């Protein structure tokens, strides 16, 4: 059994957007009870992370680490025409994930207790982002 | 054909734990000869890496690089209540992989000659870690 | 439906090699119109990235960032017998991807407008690299 669907998400600028509930809703609608849900983001300046979902400070700290490791406006970069946060957004996307495969058990994502699934917007301005789900079971 | 199974692993603290043989054993038991095995770790302070399996120095050096790039006790972090190695563990997990899809051929993982599959424990203390396998064929 | 195939690629040294068209050709030949294509590289010093495909400067800048973050000849590393770029190649492979699952729609990879799929050779010398495709639909 194979079901594909799509999530369109308007981000509000740099940071993580919890998509766990919405992806779970798509899994439920697919009626696949055991299988695999592959989440894929169709962009190169936004990405996916699975991260601790209890203390929001974890995502704040992840952002702080990424901002320091891949600084906006780094003179290293020559691709600057789309803004000082564009090339850093591409590097951040490469360091995180464009695609994540998550098991489905009992009709939902088999995430661990403290795992949340997030779209990570790496640009400072909000963007409309497309995520594609491929559900196999 | 779809087979799901689970591996429970007691780690002995920070470092890599070779799970190649155990995952291969689950693949063999599934009787799927051609397909895809998706390995998923249900934690945010342990992760998965595929790494060179010949010289253990490679994993020592990977650990040295990660320890320098994401130092324990970094004053950048505000999420410190669970220990000075907790937030670094979340960043390290994000930089490596929570989920890896590996082809199955001839009833086993189609890894390259020098590829091993490792659970990476990022906390200094040992933990019980759960890994879920989804085998499609 | 399950189709597996293989791509053998001769790289010309460090840098990205666009494999989008070749993977798409394998998808077309599989006759799977809706599904999932999992791309897997059987090496630990070459990897996969999905990256912006319009301005080549983006990949130049990604290379500049990786070269600075994981410098060749770093005295941190003890695994040096295979050359000063070998251990950095393993770290770079870990920071990028060994496996990527991409949805298939209408008989081709459902990549975003600006997404290209690249094999990333991390060694300075060219190598023969094997990529395995698992197409499920």
């Amino acid at each position: 059994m194979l079901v594909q669907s799509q999530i369109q998400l308007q981000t509000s600028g740099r940071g993580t957007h919890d998509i766990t509930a919405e992806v779970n809703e798509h899994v439920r609608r697919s009626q696949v009870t055991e299988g695999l849900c592959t989440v894929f983001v169709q962009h190169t300046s936004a990405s996916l992370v699975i991260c601790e979902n209890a203390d929001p400070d974890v995502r704040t700290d992840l952002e702080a680490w990424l901002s320091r490791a891949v600084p906006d406006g780094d003179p290293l970069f020559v691709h600057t025409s789309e803004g000082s946060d564009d090339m850093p957004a591409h590097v951040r996307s490469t360091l995180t994930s464009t695609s994540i495969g998550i098991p489905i058990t009992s009709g939902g994502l088999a995430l661990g207790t403290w795992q949340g699934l997030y779209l990570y917007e790496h640009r400072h301005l909000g963007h409309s982002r497309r995520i594609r789900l491929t559900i196999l079971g």
Side-chain angles (χ1 to χ4, degrees), chain A:
Chain A
M1 192 164 157
L2 164 74
V3 179
Q4 291 188 318
S5 65
Q6 188 171 303
I7 293 172
Q8 191 96 18
L9 182 70
Q10 178 62 38
T11 67
S12 53
R14 184 173 281 181
T16 50
H17 295 67
D18 194 336
I19 58 170
T20 317
E22 191 164 358
V23 174
N24 253 321
E25 181 53 32
H26 281 249
V27 171
R28 268 191 295 272
R29 267 188 261 149
S30 77
Q31 300 189 33
V32 168
T33 53
E34 315 289 312
L36 181 73
C37 175
T38 300
V39 186
F40 182 87
V41 58
Q42 287 184 307
H43 305 275
T44 62
S45 54
S47 63
L48 299 168
V49 290
I50 284 179
C51 194
E52 213 253 33
N53 61 4
D55 180 359
D57 282 349
V58 171
R59 287 172 342 261
T60 306
D61 285 355
L62 176 59
E63 172 55 35
W65 188 89
L66 285 169
S67 287
R68 190 180 63 189
V70 194
D72 289 343
D74 193 324
L76 185 72
F77 297 139
V78 299
H79 174 82
T80 55
S81 55
E82 294 173 54
S84 64
D85 61 333
D86 186 58
M87 192 55 226
H90 294 310
V91 176
R92 287 156 159 261
S93 295
T94 304
L95 295 176
T96 54
S97 299
T98 295
S99 178
I100 301 183
I102 305 172
I104 297 170
T105 55
S106 311
L109 298 173
L111 292 167
T113 313
W114 311 110
Q115 285 183 317
L117 175 63
Y118 300 88
L119 177 86
Y120 210 133
E121 172 63 67
H122 297 296
R123 302 300 309 269
H124 285 295
L125 287 180
H127 282 75
S128 177
R129 300 302 194 177
R130 242 168 318 119
I131 295 163
R132 283 192 164 273
L133 306 181
T134 304
I135 298 168
L136 287 157

